[in-house]
Amino acid sequence: AKKSGRNRFSFFTAGMRDAAWARMKLIDELRHALPQRQLDVYYQPIVELARGATVKAEALLRWHHPQAGLMLPDSFIGLAEETGLIGEIGDWVLGQAAALAREWAARQGGPFQISVNKSPVEFMSKTPVRNWDTYLARDAPGQQCLSVEITEGVLLNDSPWVRDKLASLHNCGVELTIDDFGTGYASLAYLKKFKVDYLKIDQSFVQDMDSGGDSRVFAETIIVMAHKLGLKVIAEGVETAEQRDWLKAAGCDYAQGYLFSAAVPAADFMALLGAAP
Ligand code: C2E
Ligand code: CA
Ligand code: CA
Ligand code: CA
């Protein structure tokens, strides 16, 4: 930068300074987002394909930012992970989901499960289990009304603290879903070892399906393999009736996507139950 002259150098540093300042401001705002009740959890229905009934939902975090408006997780989860705020935020999401799963199960008169995303950071930190077990034993007494979604990378990191946290969730009846399946290592060895319950086929494969070819072969293979191992399969990002019909014919158990509904606020979710296309 020195050789590029005084003006370019100062332009560069000013840009850097602005970016660093914007980042620090966002971190500060994120720190206050939870106490100031700006965070919200939206729910996307998950449909059982054989019956066309909504039997589960995925919890998806939202931030009602006072200036920027509705912010999607991809724009702030990374910051939450870097700053460690994800611990407190993740616990809060789990608590919200646990309470609602029980409420919706009661109102539907049958089992209802909510699936919560957990960041690798929440598993990989060496800090002891964030008392998930005591807290879940109170909120969700073994009704399998909760599932936790993690990516394959978490299981490949075969460390004692990851195993402890998975075991404590399992002991409370929380099921385990492998998210974005097929985009990572897709190693099979860990599926049995960690008592995985669901594989979620990544939306990139679902959206490629219409053009035929490899994505269909891939999805079929996952479904057959998962069933042989005693696991259930969820397809995400289902946007068309053709994708739904193909997945149903291939034996896929569950689907979610804009065809059924985008994620909606908790208050609007009840209206969606029983109205799957
Ligand atoms: P994900 O877990 O893979 O979630 C699926 C994303 O696809 C969601 O985006 C969802 O709104 C979107 N989606 C659903 N149906 C369709 C569809 O038919 N077509 C398309 N194109 N997209 C669809 P969202 O809500 O923006 O979340 C992005 C990511 O943020 C999630 O990806 C997840 O990794 C992360 N995330 C969300 N909530 C939480 C949370 O509470 N904790 C943590 N650690 N991560 C979260
Ligand atoms: Ca997910
Ligand atoms: Ca996913
Ligand atoms: Ca994803």
Side-chain angles (χ1 to χ4, degrees), residues 148-223:
V148 156
E149 301 194 5
I150 58 174
T151 48
E152 291 163 84
V154 175
L155 299 186
L156 292 174
N157 180 314
D158 186 9
S159 60
W161 48 93
V162 170
R163 256 179 283 139
D164 280 359
K165 287 172 189 178
L166 287 172
S168 83
L169 287 172
H170 189 80
N171 290 339
C172 305
V174 176
E175 294 198 306
L176 185 60
T177 300
I178 306 302
D179 203 357
D180 303 344
F181 190 76
T183 60
Y185 302 85
S187 148
L188 305 178
Y190 63 74
L191 294 178
K192 270 292 178 201
K193 187 167 157 197
F194 289 102
K195 302 192 177 114
V196 172
D197 299 288
Y198 303 94
L199 296 185
K200 193 175 267 196
I201 302 178
D202 190 66
Q203 58 188 49
S204 59
F205 298 104
V206 174
Q207 276 147 26
D208 264 12
M209 228 163 235
D210 298 330
S211 52
D214 290 349
S215 288
R216 291 187 179 195
V217 175
F218 187 81
E220 266 169 352
T221 308
I222 293 178
I223 293 164

Side-chain angles (χ1 to χ4, degrees), residues 22-164:
R23 189 174 174 282
M24 276 166 61
K25 185 165 176 283
L26 198 61
I27 289 173
D28 191 53
E29 289 166 343
L30 187 56
R31 221 177 278 291
H32 296 104
L34 193 53
Q36 291 182 356
R37 298 170 174 270
Q38 293 165 5
L39 296 186
D40 199 358
V41 186
Y42 279 26
Y43 297 89
Q44 183 177 38
I46 299 177
V47 172
E48 187 183 333
L49 284 169
R51 295 192 297 132
T54 298
V55 292
K56 300 176 190 292
E58 179 174 3
L60 293 160
L61 188 60
R62 297 292 182 262
W63 181 6
H64 299 287
H65 188 281
Q67 282 86 42
L70 186 72
M71 283 176 67
L72 295 172
D74 286 339
S75 58
F76 62 88
I77 286 286
L79 278 186
E81 291 175 342
E82 285 171 45
T83 54
L85 286 167
I86 193 69
E88 157 184 8
I89 293 173
D91 285 359
W92 176 78
V93 173
L94 199 61
Q96 297 287 304
L100 276 176
R102 284 203 304 179
E103 187 186 319
W104 289 341
R107 284 168 78 166
Q108 266 209 320
F112 193 89
Q113 186 177 67
I114 297 180
S115 202
V116 174
N117 293 284
K118 284 253 163 259
S119 185
V121 174
E122 293 176 80
F123 281 90
M124 287 171 178
S125 66
K126 289 185 195 179
T127 51
V129 183
R130 312 178 52 84
N131 60 9
W132 284 344
D133 39 4
T134 47
Y135 162 78
L136 286 171
R138 192 182 64 232
D139 273 336
Q143 300 161 10
Q144 300 192 310
C145 62
L146 285 174
S147 159
V148 156
E149 301 194 5
I150 58 174
T151 48
E152 291 163 84
V154 175
L155 299 186
L156 292 174
N157 180 314
D158 186 9
S159 60
W161 48 93
V162 170
R163 256 179 283 139
D164 280 359

